[in-house]
Amino acid sequence: MSDAPDWHEESPERFFMITGGRAGHEETAALGLVTLILSKAAPKPGMSLEQSSVLRLCRSPLSVAEITAHLKLPFSVVTVLLLDLLAEGHVEARSPAPIPKSSLPDRDILRRVIGALQSL
């Protein structure tokens, strides 16, 4: 018989344990779904399974959305984990590169294409 609690993977109790009961920080807004996360350290003894998983996953930059999908955890839980890792210097957060206006399609051409499609 195991000493581990018999929790379902998506139980609120499990999420409470992962986050230590924290719902988020003011800095949560700084981490968007497309924010890229990159590991700066390897997992260390004593880290939670989820923190270790983030560090292994992010050897190459991954978006917060991708991390959320890999870990199968809610965005709010992942942001708490990431903010802890950021505060401890284990990961780095990067905003995605902005798309230069010169690479966007011309609005006038888009309007003409939409007009032509509507007339079909």
Side-chain angles (χ1 to χ4, degrees):
M1 190 179 239
S2 168
D3 289 337
D6 186 25
W7 293 337
H8 293 93
E9 285 212 12
E10 295 185 20
S11 73
E13 294 90 359
R14 177 174 176 254
F15 300 149
F16 184 87
M17 292 302 295
I18 291 171
T19 63
R22 293 169 292 140
H25 301 273
E26 293 79 35
E27 304 98 26
T28 301
L31 290 177
L33 288 171
V34 296
T35 303
L36 298 175
I37 304 296
L38 179 63
S39 295
K40 293 172 62 177
K44 295 181 180 175
M47 284 186 158
S48 71
L49 173 66
E50 293 80 12
Q51 288 177 323
S52 297
S53 295
V54 169
L55 294 178
R56 281 192 293 277
L57 283 169
C58 296
R59 288 182 184 136
S60 296
L62 279 181
S63 71
V64 174
E66 291 171 306
I67 296 166
T68 300
H70 282 290
L71 296 180
K72 298 178 183 172
L73 291 171
F75 175 75
S76 59
V77 173
V78 172
T79 55
V80 170
L81 286 170
L82 292 174
L83 288 169
D84 288 347
L85 290 169
L86 277 165
E88 295 165 7
H90 296 301
V91 296
E92 177 182 330
R94 300 178 183 170
S95 296
I99 300 172
K101 287 187 179 186
S102 61
S103 67
L104 295 175
D106 184 357
R107 286 180 179 246
D108 190 46
I109 292 173
L110 290 175
R111 285 190 190 103
R112 284 190 254 156
V113 169
I114 290 171
L117 289 172
Q118 289 173 336
S119 67
L120 291 175

